[in-house]
Amino acid sequence: MIAKIIVDVAAYPIDRPFDYIVPEAMESIIEPGIRVKVPFGNRKVLGYVTGIKNETDIAIDKLKSIDELIDLDPVISSELLDLSRWLAVQTLSYEIDALQVMLPAAMRAKYEKYVEVVEQEDILDEEFLNFLKGRKRVPLKEADTASLLKMIKYYTNEKVITVDTIVRQQTAIKKVRMIRIEEASKLHVILESLHSNAKKQFELIQWMIQHEGQTLTSKSLLEQSGISPATLKSVIARGAAFEEYAETYREPEAPGMKDVAIPVNLTDEQVIALDRISSSIEGGVAETFLLHGVTGSGKTEIYLRAIKEVLEKGQDAIVLVPEIALTPQMTSRFKARFGPLVAVMHSALSAGEKYDEWRKIQRGEVKVVVGARSAIFAPFKNVGIIILDEEHESTYKQEDTPRYHARDVAIKRAEYYGCPVILGSATPSLESYARASKGVYTLLTLLNRARNQALPKVEIIDMREELRLGNRSMFSLDLAEAVRNRLESGEQIILFLNRRGFSAFVLCRDCGTVVECPNCDISLTYHRATERLKCHYCGHEEIVPLKCPECTSEHIRFFGTGTQKVEEEITKLFPTARVLRMDVDTTRQKGAHERLLRQFSEGKADILLGTQMIAKGLDFPNITLVGVLAADTTLHLADFRAAEKTFQLMTQVSGRAGRHELPGEVFIQTYTPEHYAIQLAKDQHYEPFYKHEMAARRQFGYPPFYFVTLVQFSHEDLLKVADFAEKGSRFLKDNLSIDTQIIGPTAAAVSRVNNRYRYQCLLKYKKEPMLTETLQQLIKLYRTKWIKSGLIMTVEVEPMSI
Ligand code: ADP
Ligand code: ZN
Ligand code: ZN
């Protein structure tokens, strides 16, 4: 028996299946989707069995055998195996990368599998007992005969043993030592029994008498009493106090965990939309819907009901939400509806926790997964619906290889299962809306908010005018007044700033020098918490200079606005306001995100100040004011999607206000109030924006009128990179049709990163039958020849930004 195996070596000549002999012991076990260890060159590598056959063209004495089994059952289904082949072609990546992306990180090669005994008494097999040699846990690789492997499979099915990867939990709950002090009466007794030379103990017990009955951390007890740990230990031994261990951090209850009340009746618009989806579910039709509904129009409610139907049919559901929208509020709605049938997968989980969730899906213990991008590969075997909420989000595109878009994968999987895909958004991507307009997707529209609340009133404020009036603050007079109003009436406020850090950069006011990264052509960002300058591209860090590195002037200052600086200004302007800041810095710790949101939902703060991560998914009744401090920051990105991103963001944040009984108000501060993305965000009308933006895209030849592919080159040597970029673009010109525009090679916007110079080439085309083949050949050229000269070349089909 011969197995076709894709080995875990990402190199050009190896990007194909290799033939290996299946040892007799493994013959009854091995099937496609199982991972194995095989000899390759002079090492052992991980491999994925992708096929089984009886013959090979290779001389039998040249063939090597599989060394050991990593799995006893396939970890990748035949559907996903096919999908990985498709993915490798679509994204021009190695097949091994396309396979690896489907599994949680914990399942990569370095983790070994173990056989663990559950019911010792039930094991009677002589050979098996010999294999265990009394051990409770044995590495699977020690099982090397057919009968042992069969026994393992049998015992696993009988639940006598388990076979699993043991992943150490990196997030073991931290415990803190607490000391509970006894009553004074007991302490007095101990005091009297003390030996006269136990002075320190005497002192501590006297201190304890003053703090009788209290429970405090051992740390603070030692600090306050000024006594050594050894003394504390002795008095505990005498019974003066008890030790307890408390969890420092418990998974907080999600805000709104009660779930928003389940609506009894759907609105007319919801009924129409759900009907269309239901008939696709019933008919088993692979249909893609674009559910376009204003914020608060009840899209999520439609998802929940559609999923219910799918579950009743005995099928599974995949729900993708952007990472930042994976708020406890969102996930708790699913949990409240479907209880333990829901698995949640987000990046805050440790490798072990992610693996646990993945296993629940693999074993069929859950029926619904709610997760970020990679959850699209959830190993369900009977998918009945795939939902992408906020489908316009750029996080659905993976930035590293394989550079897939979750939307494409969703549609591909849905084709296989004959099930609907729902793309939901208040501000669909131009691509999706264009497809819906052409009838490629089925458009479903919700024009009104579910509880008929009016959309919030949006006011655009010209910050140039404020400057002219002498207001140099970050708050316009109108916004400041609105904030004061809310503070008085006890309503809540969201302030949105599209940046992080305290000040964007450090500038010398005498010579104009901006402190830049030594490795990249980009200014360094000032981080106040650590008092350091950081490069967001390469991670370089340095201390803040006291003098200008160019002219030694001391007039070196921080410029730009960040959340920390806004927070300070808020405290100055509104001294009574209680502010919660939510940005990358305050949410780095696990659980911080949830904790902040919970505090806000419990009314423990008046203002929630934050970046992108507060723009989505929040649904709190008491928020009546949203202020956007500077709408322009996304507008000036050198990117064809800048206007689209700005419009989306403005609409999303605005949607946080007035979702319940109290009406909402929104202020958008900007230096370019005349820009159509901002003007049109005012009324939150998508259609006019779509038309305007489409006209601009057509004029400049961008998606969705054209497809684009970006080829990037980088090298330590400027001349070399220019030379390779030239070669690359010539190759493309020679092989692609004349209708395809090739723009470049040009230096990239950030022309040097991490001491590597960067060039790029942009392809624009409507139809290019030779595209995949040409790019594959270019990649072959790179991987077999150019790579040796230190070049790095990446090819990205349909990038999210350029
Ligand atoms: P979206 O996902 O479009 O933002 P949601 O589904 O979150 O909208 O609905 C917004 C709010 O309206 C939620 O509080 C939800 O419970 C409520 N809601 C949704 N549908 C209805 C309905 N048919 N009747 C009453 N309330 C509804
Ligand atoms: Zn200077
Ligand atoms: Zn750098």
Side-chain angles (χ1 to χ4, degrees):
M1 193 190 248
I2 306 290
K4 283 166 61 182
I5 292 175
I6 301 270
V7 294
D8 183 12
V9 180
Y12 187 77
I14 295 151
D15 191 26
R16 62 176 179 85
F18 285 81
D19 287 352
Y20 282 90
I21 296 170
V22 180
E24 246 184 66
M26 297 178 192
E27 278 190 356
S28 64
I29 307 275
I30 217 132
E31 48 179 314
I34 276 185
R35 295 169 307 154
V36 291
K37 273 204 185 143
V38 291
F40 195 82
N42 45 16
R43 355 175 239 152
K44 280 185 189 177
V45 299
L46 171 91
Y48 290 78
V49 177
T50 60
I52 301 287
K53 52 187 186 176
N54 286 319
E55 277 157 29
T56 173
D57 303 334
I58 317 239
I60 208 83
D61 56 329
K62 290 251 157 76
L63 278 183
K64 293 179 180 169
S65 295
I66 297 173
D67 262 340
E68 51 182 90
L69 290 169
I70 298 180
D71 308 305
L72 296 179
D73 288 301
V75 289
I76 299 190
S77 65
S78 65
E79 180 237 335
L80 290 175
L81 274 180
D82 285 347
L83 187 72
S84 78
R85 273 184 280 266
W86 169 85
L87 197 67
V89 175
Q90 288 294 307
T91 61
L92 299 156
S93 41
Y94 291 119
E95 272 196 48
I96 186 69
D97 289 341
L99 284 164
Q100 300 267 40
V101 77
M102 304 200 168
L103 297 178
M107 290 177 72
R108 309 267 155 86
K110 58 185 168 185
Y111 298 94
E112 267 193 52
K113 278 207 170 161
Y114 289 85
V115 172
E116 266 198 277
V117 178
V118 183
E119 302 286 351
Q120 182 74 55
E121 312 80 77
D122 294 352
I123 300 174
L124 302 171
D125 184 83
E126 198 59 37
E127 187 187 3
F128 202 81
L129 287 168
N130 237 335
F131 159 74
L132 292 178
K133 294 194 194 79
R135 294 170 296 178
K136 279 239 150 213
R137 183 189 286 178
V138 184
L140 176 64
K141 64 177 177 196
E142 290 187 18
D144 51 6
T145 69
S147 48
L148 262 181
L149 287 167
K150 268 190 207 145
M151 254 354 251
I152 291 175
K153 226 179 148 149
Y154 169 76
Y155 280 147
T156 316
N157 288 337
E158 298 289 308
K159 300 200 170 20
V160 171
I161 60 166
T162 62
V163 177
D164 255 320
T165 307
I166 313 286
V167 184
R168 216 173 355 102
Q169 292 284 339
Q170 287 128 324
T171 51
I173 300 158
K174 271 202 207 131
K175 296 216 171 142
V176 53
R177 187 169 164 230
M178 305 292 292
I179 309 295
R180 181 155 58 82
I181 301 170
E182 270 285 3
E183 309 282 306
S185 55
K186 175 117 195 252
L187 294 170
H188 278 293
V189 175
I190 298 173
L191 201 62
E192 276 153 30
S193 73
L194 279 180
H195 205 273
S196 61
N197 56 12
K199 289 213 183 78
K200 284 287 168 195
Q201 293 187 37
F202 193 84
E203 215 178 289
L204 179 55
I205 292 188
Q206 278 190 319
W207 183 90
M208 283 182 161
I209 290 171
Q210 270 148 34
H211 297 84
E212 60 157 338
Q214 287 185 12
T215 303
L216 59 178
T217 63
S218 61
K219 186 161 171 272
S220 74
L221 186 148
L222 293 173
E223 268 167 21
Q224 289 180 41
S225 64
I227 301 285
S228 75
T231 313
L232 177 60
K233 210 174 153 196
S234 330
V235 308
I236 289 173
R238 289 182 187 280
F242 296 96
E243 280 179 296
E244 296 167 350
Y245 284 86
E247 291 174 7
T248 41
Y249 167 64
R250 271 170 40 97
E251 200 68 45
E253 297 268 298
M257 193 59 175
K258 290 166 236 105
D259 185 26
V260 284
I262 300 175
V264 186
N265 296 311
L266 291 184
T267 64
D268 293 348
E269 287 181 327
Q270 282 174 318
V271 169
I272 295 170
L274 185 62
D275 268 355
R276 295 294 306 270
I277 297 166
S278 303
S279 55
S280 165
I281 295 172
E282 277 158 32
V285 187
E287 185 175 4
T288 304
F289 294 95
L290 177 61
L291 179 59
H292 174 216
V294 295
T295 51
S297 58
K299 296 185 290 298
T300 311
E301 190 56 41
I302 294 181
Y303 305 154
L304 292 164
R305 302 225 176 184
I307 293 169
K308 189 160 172 278
E309 289 178 24
V310 166
L311 298 187
E312 280 163 5
K313 254 184 94 186
Q315 293 183 301
D316 312 311
I318 299 176
V319 183
L320 300 190
V321 294
E323 186 66 55
I324 44 176
L326 256 179
T327 57
Q329 215 177 16
M330 181 77 178
T331 51
S332 67
R333 275 177 86 177
F334 283 84
K335 286 206 163 155
R337 227 42 92 86
F338 307 116
L341 292 180
V342 182
V344 177
M345 296 243 228
H346 55 82
S347 63
L349 299 183
S350 68
E353 288 167 329
K354 275 185 198 149
Y355 176 53
D356 289 345
E357 296 298 298
W358 184 89
R359 268 187 308 184
K360 282 190 212 160
I361 301 171
Q362 174 85 344
R363 293 181 184 148
E365 291 166 9
V366 294
K367 308 289 281 173
V368 182
V369 63
V370 181
R373 180 183 58 229
S374 62
I376 194 59
F377 299 112
F380 284 127
K381 293 179 186 80
N382 191 6
V383 178
I385 195 167
I386 304 178
I387 295 165
L388 270 80
D389 190 32
E390 314 282 5
E391 68 88 30
H392 59 276
E393 275 294 323
S394 56
T395 54
Y396 284 132
K397 176 86 191 259
Q398 172 148 306
E399 286 183 352
D400 307 322
T401 56
R403 299 186 169 83
Y404 68 92
H405 197 299
R407 192 199 294 138
D408 302 333
V409 180
I411 293 173
K412 187 76 187 167
R413 290 196 79 179
E415 258 167 36
Y416 179 90
Y417 288 106
C419 77
V421 172
I422 304 179
L423 309 173
S425 177
T427 51
S429 64
L430 254 65
E431 282 91 335
S432 292
Y433 203 79
R435 271 175 214 155
S437 308
K438 278 208 228 150
V440 182
Y441 301 159
T442 308
L443 184 64
L444 304 171
T445 313
L446 306 175
L447 293 171
N448 303 298
R449 281 185 154 184
R451 288 192 234 123
N452 247 322
Q453 322 88 313
L455 281 169
K457 193 170 118 245
V458 180
E459 202 88 54
I460 311 276
I461 297 176
D462 185 349
M463 289 306 275
R464 296 169 308 191
E465 192 58 33
E466 296 283 321
L467 260 183
R468 239 171 268 139
L469 296 171
N471 176 11
R472 300 180 161 274
S473 129
M474 294 167 214
F475 287 83
S476 60
L477 298 177
D478 287 352
L479 178 56
E481 191 182 313
V483 170
R484 254 175 234 119
N485 268 330
R486 296 314 188 287
L487 291 175
E488 267 163 35
S489 59
E491 288 162 23
Q492 286 179 304
I493 303 159
I494 282 190
L495 293 177
F496 176 75
L497 185 75
N498 197 10
R499 274 216 191 143
R500 67 184 253 207
F502 181 77
S503 283
F505 55 97
V506 173
L507 176 125
C508 169
R509 298 173 86 192
D510 283 332
C511 74
T513 293
V514 171
V515 181
E516 290 193 341
C517 174
N519 311 322
C520 312
D521 275 346
I522 199 89
S523 51
L524 292 172
T525 304
Y526 176 56
H527 283 253
R528 192 172 169 237
T530 49
E531 278 291 329
R532 290 174 84 82
L533 296 173
K534 278 187 202 162
C535 172
H536 288 174
Y537 280 81
C538 74
H540 169 86
E541 271 190 45
E542 58 184 67
I543 52 161
V544 180
L546 297 173
K547 287 179 181 165
C548 171
E550 286 300 316
C551 74
T552 71
S553 155
E554 287 170 8
H555 294 143
I556 189 154
R557 289 281 182 83
F558 314 120
F559 271 81
T561 323
T563 41
Q564 297 180 9
K565 201 160 163 187
V566 176
E567 190 179 10
E568 285 184 3
E569 181 144 347
I570 294 174
T571 341
K572 252 186 256 154
L573 282 176
F574 317 107
T576 60
R578 297 163 303 162
V579 188
L580 282 180
R581 178 161 64 86
M582 198 152 150
D583 56 21
V584 201
D585 292 323
T586 62
T587 54
R588 196 164 290 138
Q589 240 185 359
K590 195 177 175 203
H593 196 125
E594 289 86 340
R595 196 165 54 244
L596 290 171
L597 287 182
R598 186 172 50 154
Q599 285 170 6
F600 194 62
S601 79
E602 287 169 353
K604 291 192 178 137
D606 307 302
I607 300 179
L608 180 64
L609 164 68
T611 52
Q612 262 89 329
M613 62 180 78
I614 63 170
K616 284 165 219 306
L618 302 188
D619 190 0
F620 297 127
N622 204 26
I623 300 171
T624 60
L625 175 65
V626 168
V628 178
L629 293 169
D632 312 79
T633 42
T634 40
L635 206 49
H636 303 306
L637 296 174
D639 182 358
F640 71 92
R641 280 184 222 271
E644 186 182 352
K645 279 184 187 150
T646 306
F647 179 81
Q648 284 163 350
L649 213 49
M650 293 308 106
T651 311
Q652 294 291 347
V653 254
S654 304
R656 298 308 116 216
R659 291 171 71 89
H660 296 253
E661 282 70 37
L662 299 167
E665 203 178 7
V666 178
F667 289 89
I668 297 180
Q669 303 190 153
T670 169
Y671 291 91
T672 41
E674 63 284 348
H675 195 285
Y676 64 91
I678 293 189
Q679 280 301 324
L680 295 171
K682 183 173 154 68
D683 296 323
Q684 304 204 28
H685 285 161
Y686 179 79
E687 277 282 339
F689 173 77
Y690 170 76
K691 293 215 170 91
H692 202 298
E693 183 66 14
M694 283 295 268
R697 299 281 178 89
R698 173 182 287 136
Q699 189 186 343
F700 298 107
Y702 280 120
F705 289 97
Y706 287 83
F707 292 108
V708 293
T709 286
L710 185 65
V711 185
Q712 290 183 301
F713 304 85
S714 82
H715 200 284
E716 287 175 359
D717 184 333
L718 179 60
L719 293 177
K720 284 215 172 110
V721 73
D723 185 39
F724 278 121
E726 191 56 51
K727 273 192 196 136
S729 85
R730 203 167 326 121
F731 180 86
L732 293 168
K733 274 182 196 131
D734 290 346
N735 289 282
L736 295 173
S737 60
I738 42 163
D739 294 335
T740 294
Q741 294 179 48
I742 298 170
I743 298 159
T746 48
V750 180
S751 62
R752 189 176 54 123
V753 166
N754 224 349
N755 286 322
R756 299 182 67 90
Y757 293 91
R758 306 199 306 170
Y759 264 70
Q760 65 184 39
C761 220
L762 187 69
L763 308 182
K764 285 187 187 174
Y765 45 92
K766 275 193 185 284
K767 246 206 187 100
E768 177 52 78
M770 291 302 291
L771 184 75
T772 307
E773 204 184 314
T774 305
L775 291 173
Q776 278 170 341
Q777 278 170 11
L778 179 67
I779 289 172
K780 179 175 176 188
L781 204 57
Y782 159 65
R783 287 177 182 164
T784 52
K785 300 219 167 77
W786 299 350
I787 198 168
K788 291 182 203 133
S789 331
L791 179 80
I792 294 178
M793 185 185 87
T794 60
V795 178
E796 184 164 15
V797 183
E798 294 174 49
M800 288 309 281
S801 61
I802 53 177

